[in-house]
Amino acid sequence: MNLKDKQILLGVTGGIAAYKSVELLRLLKKAGANVTVAMTEAAGHFVGKTTFEVLSENPVLSDLWNDTQSSVTHIDVAARSDAAVVAPATANCIGKLAHGIADDALTTTMLALTCPVMICPSMNTDMYQNIRVQENLDILERTGMHIVDPDSGALACKTVGAGRLPEPWFILDRLCALLAKKDFKDKKVLISAGPTVEAIDPVRYVSNHSSGKMGYAVARAAENRGAKVTLVSGPVNLEAPVGVDRISVESCNQMANAMFDNLKDADIIIKVAAVADYRPVNQENKKIKKTSDSTSLTLTLTENQDILKTIGQSKRDDQFLVGFAAETNDLETHALAKIKKKNLDMIAANLVGGKESGFKADTNKVKLFSRDGSVKDIPLMDKSEVAHRLLDAILSKAG
Ligand code: PMT
């Protein structure tokens, strides 16, 4: 998630979910945003102003008359904001915003905004379903605000239903999508991510260190930029990116089938997955037992199919095919050999084995080689940012 240099207004109103705004603020800051918090008096009963002040490293707008800032400040904040998110948004706040009422620091600032606005309603289910609240949400939507539907589940008021504020990472993701350029609109992108696991017996397998972070970052970035994304994923510990159609697989053969099934519709195919090159010849259906007379076990492996190569051999001219190369040495030589052997339009080569790039790391350093001979360096940066740079490069070549 990259919100570097973005000015974000975080509105907090008085609901129990206000505690989640603290985590949202932390995530916004981590994503590089400069955040100003505007809170209602009621929000202060749930989370103190000092918490927001310390974490945002900015003065908090909470009282038009008694704050140290002048009453003009809310206009300045509104004017410089690139986006605003109100989370949680109470029925009261939604009503005021829908009808242009500006009687406190938050609503006054909101009325002066010209940037994209996201509203995250959170309240008791009956309140949320009340026709007046729904009508007010309709008004906000009609006037261009983006409503993030609340989750359903157990609420603090002991009822079960719609009204729970979504998790902060989800709200951040939707904000990034709101701000992203939509240059992948109408493009269908097929991505593979994570490792494959090849069973030895019901309890053991052959695999590799891929965490899925790089492939998921590419899927998330493409979705944020308007693409329709299908993500074929080996077993990983990551939530499915919002708005992405995830197909979970285990082995190379399963990954191959899922990729081939979805190939026809894809405009762009990006194979980030670390596929196991070999699998055990025999997959025992009972656990292999230790024997007392032997201190070694020989596993015979057979080569897996090369999914990328097969796709490269059959791809249409209007499809753009990108592979990844994970190398420990001679990055350029190996990457160039793979681009030819697998008939790729582009390969993203990264060094693995270190702490900062490749497997498991949050960051990566990639060299992009294109079929036309051009080379582009993506220096060490967060995998989400690498993903966006990769998509920029793909767009410049694929059009
Ligand atoms: O998941 P992370 O922890 O974030 O780590 C990211 C990563 C290091 C896995 C990723 O950046 C990466 O380099 N992915 C490619 C890993 C890999 O398998 O590289 P390779 O050089 O062995 O394979 C080259 C290409 O052929 C890859 O696109 C691979 O998906 C594909 N391939 C390989 C073997 C095979 N049987 N079928 C394939 O399709």
Side-chain angles (χ1 to χ4, degrees), residues 93 95-104 106-108 111:
C93 172
K96 284 186 191 174
L97 294 178
H99 296 282
I101 297 169
D103 63 353
D104 59 16
L106 172 60
T107 47
T108 313
L111 210 57

Side-chain angles (χ1 to χ4, degrees), residues 192-195 208-216 236 238 252 255 270-278 303-309 311 322-327 338 342 344 347-352 357-361 363-364 366 383:
S192 74
N208 57 62
H209 293 297
S210 173
S211 63
K213 285 180 186 172
M214 189 67 247
Y216 275 56
V236 295
L238 300 172
C252 169
M255 181 170 279
I270 311 173
K271 263 211 106 266
V272 195
V275 184
D277 288 320
Y278 296 91
E303 198 176 359
N304 264 332
Q305 58 178 310
D306 191 320
I307 308 170
L308 187 60
K309 192 173 163 198
I311 296 174
V322 184
F324 264 67
E327 309 293 346
K338 279 175 190 171
K342 305 195 186 200
L344 309 177
I347 194 156
N350 49 190
L351 282 174
V352 291
S357 68
F359 294 124
K360 290 185 182 165
T363 50
N364 208 0
V366 170
K383 280 181 175 166

Side-chain angles (χ1 to χ4, degrees), residues 29 36 51 61 63 83 90 117-118 120 122 125 177 209 249 258 268 277 282 317 321 326 331 334 349 354 367:
K29 291 286 290 177
T36 301
T51 304
L61 297 171
D63 186 336
T90 56
V117 175
M118 224 171 77
C120 306
S122 171
T125 306
H209 293 297
V249 297
I268 297 163
D277 288 320
N282 297 314
D317 286 347
L321 181 59
L331 195 64
H334 292 309
K367 214 168 186 159

